Amino acid sequence: MAQGKKLVIVESPTKMRSIQGYLGDGYEVLSSVGHIRDLADRKAIPAELKKTSVGRYSIDIENDFAPYYVESERGKKTVAELKRALKNADELLLATDEDREGEAIAWHLLETLKPKVPVKRMVFHEITKDAIRAAVDKTRDLDLDLVDAQETRRILDRLYGWDVSPVLWVKVQQGLSAGRVQSAATRLVVDRERERMAFVSASYWDVVAMAAKENDAFSVQLARIGGAQVARGSDFDDQGALKKAVVVIDEAQARELADQIAAAGEASVTSLESKPGTRRPYAPFTTSTMQQEAGRKLSMSAKHAMSVAQRLYEKGFITYMRTDSTALSTQAVQAAREQAVQLYGPKSVPLNPRVYKSKSKNAQEAHEAIRPSGETFRTPSSVSGQLDRDELRLYDLIWKRTMASQMADATYETTTVTLAVALADRVAEFTASGTVYTFKGFLEAYEEGRDEKRSDADKADDQSLPQLAVGDTLAVRDVEPKGHATNPKPRYTEASLVKALEEKGIGRPSTFASIIDTIIDRGYVTKRGQALVPSWIAFSVVRLLEQHFSELVDYDFTAALEDDLDAIARGEQSRVDWLKEFYFGSEGHTGLRNIVENLGEIDARELNSTRVTDTATLRIGRYGPYLEVTDPEHPDAEPRRVNLPEDMAPDELTAERAQELIDAPVAGDRVLGENPADGKLVVVKDGRYGPYVQEVEPEEPTAVDEATGEVLEADAGAAGKKSTTKGMAKGAKKDAAPKPRTASLFKSMSVDTVDLETALQLLSLPRVVGTDPESGEQITAQNGRYGPYLKKGADSRTLDNEQLIFDITLDQALAIYAQPKYGARRASSALKEFENDPVSGKPIRLRDGRFGPYVTDGDTNATIPRGEDAMEVTFERAVQLLADKRAKGPAPKRTARRTTARKAPAKKS
């Protein structure tokens, strides 16, 4: 690097290239690729420190909670490169993100690089030429209060996780983890499932019909009968009891009413009421609202939405995507208003610009709302060629939301009509509503999605009403009685959980995606469609935390911790004083250490048990949940175990469903017949990993029920085997029995219906399809862990369905191999392609291998960690995985390395 250049350090390699282009030759822009160091893991703590307080947490709790940091293997290489560049620089600009994490990364760089040239903090919220140039001219000092807040949060999470998680390992299950925020989020999902489990459904009926004035028809719903209001779902509480005096109509009454109304055939308009209304546009996106809308409208997970937003930001299309602020800059307001006028006309914007005030008081949120970058917004159609599908969809959402936020109110008029049908002894009243927008305003650009609510079933579809007047007589037809049942609160989706976390003040919006990803990865929550369903393990974990760490999972307490961290970020609270109170306790707070040291006895069996009926208890075993069933007539007998269906949600295990599982016949091994090729018996079984067929020696099943084919107890055979074994010479080694052939049933097959012919076909797999005439290689069809596939040498191709394993011809197989491996849409065999790796200089590709997806630059392969969605891996993540793999070196040749002791960093002043 030439003398006199300024060194700029950013977090991301993608930003590095963009910003270098804007700054020119007078600057060199390099990347830290995220954090370069972190709290040490236990294995990285030197032996001489392991007996001190540092050895327990990598934090010196006895000396103002001083953290013990170590550089990652990737960080060491990055630091070496940055130090070489710094030698010839005359100024250092730390240009990491403008939030707590970014400020902390900048501080770590400063502490590690120890620069001897002037250092400035460069911040920006969009990657455009004007913004970057302005950031260079308007630098500031490092904000140590923000660094303190980030460091406090990191120490807090380490203390919480390393103290509480071991309790879960002993009392619930090995490998579990607890976390300050993830535990509260898990409790939210479990609490919702508890509400669903305790819910008592109530049934009610009403009557719907079509009312017509000449050729204009609209739907109406029974509202009152004999002057009394007819019950709706919202009139019942969660125990199925009425909350107010209404008439509950049963099925017989509803059918009788429907017949009477149909016989009457007409209704008169008794009232018309029109009300004007106004709808204001929504504020521009914050991190939280963007995640919610991406979930509702684009079906994106919170993690995926943030990954896509990160790419849009780094490519310069949107402003910084981690923000609590709803404010827009003057530049952005002007851009939105001008573009709205161009697209929708002068009336589409109000006289004065709209101003949105952020509810957040966090010092970290100095930037504006998420919006399209630049002085003039680029329309989605103008950038479609520069973005991939998901990037374009999310950019379109952000653009529309920003535009709408500066547009005029929508105005409408809602008309409600009441119709009366005269019956023999009473009057049935129907109602209907219709809304007409008199001015669409911001709705021309955007309308926010909404989460499912259990009252939705009671709401009639919005419709257009004809011109009506009091006294009009309308025809009534298509009269239909309609039954309903009240529903429990819907399960959380990612969008609604993000909303709940924000409302309760749990975590920061920038962490919501990682929180949800963590609780899914830990097995506490699974996704059923969009719904988040807690596992039984999550119930045990939450139960333990509520009983023994109640303060730590209290929603208000968790939110208060966030407020305290914000206070530290604003410089209003001492980091050390706060950590001392949290860990050691105070007059009003027990303290984490006191809680952990005084847990008392925890009954693990009781903790992992849930009483379902008088005789059945759900328990969490090593291989998952099961029902333990006792026999009231023989209380001392060994309880019976009944496995639960893998896809059964906790709220579906009612007493009735449990009894069905208990009463279901026990499926034994069923003999299908004899394999004519070797004389062995073929048996179908239902195992832990699903149903399968297996060959067994004919002497093993000595008794078979002729009626059912079920294998019976083979006492005689067992005795014979025992005596044979006993007669062997002492010390003689018994020959290992050959492993019996087995084959899994296809998903379309059933234990009850599979026959011998099908079983023999399964046992014969893999099936030889034929030989490739060009290469001479044999092509086989077989069933694997991930489904049916073809195999030719090392080249495998997925088949569309299992039956093709038996049916596919050689010509069809050759046609499949003649196509590109991943279809005509992609000539490359890579699932995803990235830019060149900053170390090797070679392009990075995401591939699907024998042991799962991995990233590679041609020299180094790095497996995508379990639980991580391969298709959501970003360029930065790929770079990090490859760097970590290089640092580890070849696993078989890896030797233990002694860790050099590092001094704790100097305290920040």
Side-chain angles (χ1 to χ4, degrees):
M1 185 166 70
Q3 184 68 30
K5 281 193 175 183
K6 294 177 172 59
L7 176 62
V8 179
I9 303 178
V10 297
E11 290 179 38
S12 159
T14 304
K15 287 187 203 175
M16 179 177 75
R17 284 181 287 278
S18 301
I19 294 172
Q20 181 69 73
Y22 294 140
L23 292 179
D25 294 337
Y27 296 80
E28 181 170 0
V29 185
L30 296 177
S31 167
S32 71
V33 197
H35 279 277
I36 57 169
R37 65 179 190 172
D38 193 8
L39 293 175
D41 289 331
R42 286 191 175 96
K43 61 184 179 181
I45 298 172
E48 63 269 21
L49 293 178
K50 285 189 175 178
K51 293 182 179 180
T52 69
S53 63
V54 174
R56 185 172 180 182
Y57 305 105
S58 192
I59 299 161
D60 194 346
I61 59 174
E62 296 173 359
N63 291 289
D64 293 342
F65 293 86
Y68 180 78
Y69 291 115
V70 294
E71 293 169 19
S72 64
E73 292 300 320
R74 176 188 56 76
K76 290 176 185 176
K77 187 168 185 178
T78 300
V79 168
E81 292 171 353
L82 294 175
K83 282 184 175 179
R84 282 194 293 270
L86 189 58
K87 285 181 181 179
N88 298 315
D90 61 8
E91 187 174 88
L92 173 61
L93 294 171
L94 299 172
T96 50
D97 291 343
E98 191 185 12
D99 56 15
R100 293 178 194 168
E101 289 296 321
E103 206 74 14
I105 291 172
W107 178 77
H108 283 292
L109 287 167
L110 191 62
E111 288 285 299
T112 307
L113 297 176
K114 296 179 172 53
K116 297 177 181 178
V117 296
V119 179
K120 295 178 180 177
R121 180 77 167 98
M122 173 181 163
V123 293
F124 46 86
H125 67 270
E126 62 181 0
I127 303 176
T128 59
K129 186 173 184 178
D130 290 343
I132 297 303
R133 288 287 185 184
V136 170
D137 296 335
K138 192 178 179 181
T139 57
R140 63 167 172 80
D141 293 330
L142 198 66
D143 188 335
L144 295 180
D145 289 330
L146 283 185
V147 178
D148 271 348
Q150 187 277 340
E151 188 171 76
T152 305
R153 181 201 61 76
R154 186 71 186 93
I155 292 171
L156 167 65
D157 289 345
R158 171 61 64 89
L159 294 172
Y160 188 119
W162 283 25
D163 266 348
V164 181
S165 295
V167 182
L168 301 183
W169 304 341
V170 174
K171 299 301 180 181
V172 182
Q173 191 178 90
Q174 278 290 330
L176 298 178
S177 71
R180 173 180 60 91
V181 181
Q182 77 175 53
S183 297
T186 303
R187 184 187 173 195
L188 274 172
V189 180
V190 169
D191 279 349
R192 178 57 56 87
E193 196 75 3
R194 286 168 170 168
E195 291 180 86
R196 293 174 62 87
M197 294 166 76
F199 180 78
V200 179
S201 182
S203 63
Y204 61 98
W205 284 70
D206 64 6
V207 179
V208 295
M210 296 297 294
K213 181 181 181 182
E214 298 176 352
N215 293 325
D216 289 329
F218 56 97
S219 62
V220 293
Q221 186 175 21
L222 184 65
R224 287 176 293 276
I225 184 73
Q229 184 178 332
V230 174
R232 296 277 178 265
S234 57
D235 296 326
F236 296 89
D237 63 20
D238 285 352
Q239 298 305 309
L242 285 172
K243 296 187 287 187
K244 61 180 182 179
V246 290
V247 175
V248 179
I249 300 175
D250 61 23
E251 181 178 1
Q253 293 169 323
R255 294 192 181 282
E256 183 182 356
L257 271 172
D259 291 341
Q260 293 176 3
I261 292 164
E266 62 179 31
S268 59
V269 178
T270 57
S271 75
L272 276 171
E273 185 179 7
S274 295
K275 290 183 178 179
T278 301
R279 287 184 60 184
R280 294 178 61 83
Y282 305 96
F285 278 139
T286 61
T287 302
S288 167
T289 53
M290 182 195 71
Q291 290 173 358
Q292 292 174 51
E293 274 294 83
R296 296 184 193 112
K297 290 193 169 182
L298 308 180
S299 297
M300 287 185 182
S301 68
K303 179 183 178 182
H304 185 45
M306 290 302 289
S307 174
V308 176
Q310 178 86 33
R311 299 202 300 269
L312 287 172
Y313 166 63
E314 292 179 351
K315 290 180 178 180
F317 287 94
I318 64 170
T319 55
Y320 192 54
M321 67 291 162
R322 292 185 177 91
T323 175
D324 281 349
S325 176
T326 55
L328 290 175
S329 65
T330 303
Q331 177 194 70
V333 169
Q334 188 64 27
R337 286 171 63 85
E338 288 177 358
Q339 198 163 62
V341 170
Q342 293 171 9
L343 296 173
Y344 307 112
K347 291 184 179 180
S348 66
V349 296
L351 183 62
N352 297 313
R354 293 188 183 275
V355 177
Y356 296 93
K357 292 185 179 180
S358 175
K359 297 177 182 178
S360 173
K361 56 184 179 181
N362 302 341
Q364 71 183 71
E365 311 301 349
H367 25 74
E368 57 181 318
I370 304 170
R371 64 164 177 89
S373 59
E375 294 183 359
T376 303
F377 295 164
R378 289 166 283 187
T379 61
S381 59
S382 71
V383 299
S384 59
Q386 304 170 59
L387 303 175
D388 65 29
R389 177 176 176 270
D390 283 348
E391 290 168 353
L392 183 60
R393 292 165 73 214
L394 188 59
Y395 180 80
D396 179 68
L397 202 63
I398 293 168
W399 177 80
K400 287 177 177 176
R401 177 81 167 221
T402 310
M403 290 285 295
S405 73
Q406 288 301 315
M407 292 175 67
D409 293 346
T411 58
Y412 61 89
E413 186 172 76
T414 298
T415 301
T416 302
V417 60
T418 301
L419 309 178
V421 179
L423 305 180
D425 57 346
R426 50 190 168 169
V427 174
E429 294 178 90
F430 287 81
T431 59
S433 293
T435 298
V436 176
Y437 278 91
T438 53
F439 178 65
K440 294 201 73 173
F442 75 94
L443 293 176
E444 293 280 5
Y446 176 84
E447 182 165 9
E448 186 175 67
R450 58 188 298 272
D451 296 317
E452 178 193 358
K453 295 182 179 178
R454 58 176 168 179
S455 58
D456 289 350
D458 290 334
K459 296 179 180 178
D461 294 334
D462 203 12
Q463 58 187 325
S464 179
L465 299 180
Q467 286 291 328
L468 297 171
V470 174
D472 284 352
T473 300
L474 308 181
V476 176
R477 61 173 187 256
D478 300 333
V479 184
E480 181 186 355
K482 199 169 185 181
H484 307 272
T486 56
N487 296 313
K489 291 180 181 178
R491 289 191 178 95
Y492 285 112
T493 61
E494 288 203 24
S496 60
L497 183 57
V498 164
K499 185 176 182 180
L501 290 169
E502 184 174 43
E503 288 174 347
K504 291 184 178 295
I506 298 171
R508 292 258 61 86
S510 58
T511 66
F512 290 160
S514 62
I515 293 168
I516 294 173
D517 189 50
T518 297
I519 64 177
I520 292 174
D521 187 46
R522 295 288 187 269
Y524 296 148
V525 171
T526 56
K527 293 187 75 171
R528 180 183 289 186
Q530 294 295 314
L532 299 177
V533 183
S535 65
W536 285 109
I537 284 286
F539 275 74
S540 294
V541 168
V542 170
R543 188 180 295 135
L544 183 148
L545 294 174
E546 287 175 334
Q547 292 175 4
H548 301 280
F549 299 91
S550 58
E551 189 176 69
L552 299 183
V553 289
D554 179 79
Y555 299 134
D556 292 337
F557 176 75
T558 306
L561 294 185
E562 296 294 346
D563 290 340
D564 291 341
L565 291 174
D566 292 341
I568 294 171
R570 296 190 298 271
E572 300 168 4
Q573 172 77 47
S574 163
R575 159 192 170 280
V576 174
D577 291 345
W578 188 88
L579 282 170
K580 284 181 177 177
E581 181 177 352
F582 171 79
Y583 189 70
F584 295 112
S586 64
E587 187 175 337
H589 172 57
T590 307
L592 177 62
R593 187 171 76 168
N594 294 326
I595 295 173
V596 173
E597 291 179 352
N598 296 282
L599 282 176
E601 291 296 321
I602 298 177
D603 187 337
R605 183 173 175 80
E606 185 63 28
L607 188 72
N608 291 286
S609 302
T610 302
R611 176 72 69 178
V612 181
T613 68
D614 291 340
T615 59
T617 301
L618 180 130
R619 300 201 188 279
I620 308 295
R622 182 178 179 185
Y623 301 111
Y626 64 92
L627 287 177
E628 184 180 85
V629 185
T630 57
D631 185 347
E633 296 181 4
H634 304 89
D636 295 331
E638 184 73 19
R640 177 181 153 210
R641 289 191 175 196
V642 177
N643 290 328
L644 298 179
E646 287 187 10
D647 59 350
M648 176 179 281
D651 77 329
E652 295 170 357
L653 185 62
T654 60
E656 294 76 16
R657 181 70 177 113
Q659 197 59 50
E660 287 179 15
L661 293 170
I662 294 167
D663 294 340
V666 179
D669 301 344
R670 186 165 64 90
V671 176
L672 300 178
E674 184 179 293
N675 186 344
D678 55 21
K680 294 183 179 180
L681 293 181
V682 179
V683 180
V684 62
K685 303 184 177 186
D686 198 355
R688 179 184 163 201
Y689 298 108
Y692 64 98
V693 291
Q694 184 178 64
E695 279 187 335
V696 296
E697 296 295 337
E699 66 268 25
E700 289 183 5
T702 56
V704 176
D705 188 317
E706 294 182 0
T708 65
E710 185 176 344
V711 181
L712 303 179
E713 294 295 331
D715 295 335
K721 284 188 177 183
K722 188 175 181 180
S723 61
T724 303
T725 304
K726 191 174 180 179
M728 293 174 62
K730 188 175 182 180
K733 189 173 181 180
K734 186 178 178 181
D735 292 337
K739 190 174 181 180
R741 284 200 301 167
T742 62
S744 296
L745 266 60
F746 290 174
K747 293 177 182 177
S748 58
M749 298 176 182
S750 165
V751 172
D752 300 325
T753 58
V754 68
D755 56 23
L756 178 62
E757 182 182 358
T758 303
L760 292 175
Q761 282 185 308
L762 292 171
L763 290 168
S764 70
L765 295 178
R767 168 181 165 251
V768 177
V769 179
T771 302
D772 185 335
E774 292 187 7
S775 66
E777 291 181 295
Q778 193 177 71
I779 300 175
T780 59
Q782 47 197 298
N783 204 20
R785 180 180 178 188
Y786 300 107
Y789 65 99
L790 292 172
K791 189 176 176 82
K792 181 178 70 171
D795 192 359
S796 60
R797 301 297 174 93
T798 301
L799 292 174
D800 292 335
N801 62 72
E802 294 166 318
Q803 189 56 40
L804 282 174
I805 294 176
F806 297 138
D807 298 343
I808 194 167
T809 65
L810 177 60
D811 288 341
Q812 291 171 329
L814 292 173
I816 290 174
Y817 274 104
Q819 299 173 7
K821 184 162 186 177
Y822 293 96
R825 62 185 175 83
R826 186 184 286 111
S828 168
S829 62
L831 299 174
K832 210 171 184 182
E833 296 192 9
F834 301 104
E835 299 173 39
N836 291 349
D837 181 79
V839 175
S840 68
K842 297 180 179 180
I844 299 175
R845 292 183 173 88
L846 171 68
R847 298 184 183 277
D848 192 9
R850 179 182 176 189
F851 301 107
Y854 65 98
V855 289
T856 180
D857 64 349
D859 297 329
T860 305
N861 299 338
T863 302
I864 307 300
R866 183 180 177 185
E868 194 168 325
D869 189 337
M871 296 311 293
E872 292 187 8
V873 169
T874 62
F875 171 70
E876 291 69 34
R877 179 62 174 146
V879 168
Q880 181 182 346
L881 289 169
L882 289 172
D884 290 345
K885 183 62 183 293
R886 290 189 198 100
K888 288 181 179 179
K893 299 179 182 179
R894 188 176 180 183
T895 56
R897 296 174 59 188
R898 187 173 179 180
T899 307
T900 304
R902 298 174 179 82
K903 294 182 181 180
K907 295 180 185 177
K908 301 177 290 295
S909 55

